[in-house]
Amino acid sequence: MCERRYQLLERWCNFRPDALAAYGVGQEQFRFWPEWDCGTMNVRDLAIKFTSYAHYVASREWARERSMLPVLLCVAPDIAQERRMHRVAQARLTHTPGVAAWTTTAVLLNEHGPLAPIWLQAIPQRCYSAHENGSLRQGIFDGMFGKKGAC
């Protein structure tokens, strides 16, 4: 359901994220693309995946849904793969305005949960930056509710 086919510069493109999800707090909604890597993606595969995000975001197709641009949350099976994802995400997404990407490992996610300060910011952004205490959760809520550091 989250796959999109769109046109960019007279060329048809396919965008296939693992999923599109939303987390609601009151009437506010935080949308995100969870990417779950089982350790099977090499640098080339990751580059293709993150380049597809860059193209999709640059096309502004996501804006047709009249919603905020989802944040990319990437989960890796181990620290080595997380570092690889982090490096490739930086290389492929840094120059795509509006993209926010965060990484973590499956172990940290399972031990502490998704709202704990387990996420590393892959793409420096003003929006959804970590709160002073390093918590993505607090940074997201601050961004959603217009507090310090929000857009």
Side-chain angles (χ1 to χ4, degrees):
M1 287 184 68
C2 59
E3 182 177 327
R4 300 289 185 263
R5 184 161 171 77
Y6 64 98
Q7 202 167 5
L8 181 63
L9 301 174
E10 299 181 20
R11 183 174 155 225
W12 285 99
C13 302
N14 295 311
F15 176 62
R16 295 182 180 107
D18 285 353
L20 173 61
Y23 178 77
V25 177
Q27 296 207 342
E28 299 294 326
Q29 207 177 59
F30 169 67
R31 292 171 24 124
F32 59 100
W33 288 303
E35 280 292 334
W36 195 281
D37 182 359
C38 295
T40 58
M41 296 184 82
N42 58 35
V43 170
R44 181 184 151 278
D45 296 333
L46 291 168
I48 291 168
K49 175 68 94 169
F50 291 131
T51 298
S52 76
Y53 276 99
H55 288 163
Y56 183 72
V57 171
S59 76
R60 305 249 337 128
E61 279 295 310
W62 58 270
R64 290 180 187 236
E65 297 174 18
R66 297 178 187 209
S67 191
M68 290 182 65
L69 178 63
V71 172
L72 178 58
L73 301 179
C74 303
V75 180
D78 55 54
I79 192 72
Q81 184 68 357
E82 182 189 16
R83 287 181 180 146
R84 213 171 353 269
M85 291 176 83
H86 201 268
R87 278 193 319 270
V88 176
Q90 282 183 333
R92 298 297 172 148
L93 297 171
T94 296
H95 301 293
T96 305
V99 172
W102 298 77
T103 64
T104 195
T105 65
V107 171
L108 288 173
L109 185 62
N110 289 333
E111 284 181 14
H112 304 286
L115 298 179
I118 59 171
W119 300 92
L120 289 175
Q121 190 173 22
I123 310 300
Q125 292 286 314
R126 225 172 36 124
C127 299
Y128 303 122
S129 60
H131 193 260
E132 302 85 51
N133 67 7
S135 169
L136 172 59
R137 174 185 181 182
Q138 190 62 51
I140 289 168
F141 289 155
D142 287 354
M144 287 172 60
F145 298 111
K147 297 193 176 150
K148 182 173 103 177
C151 292

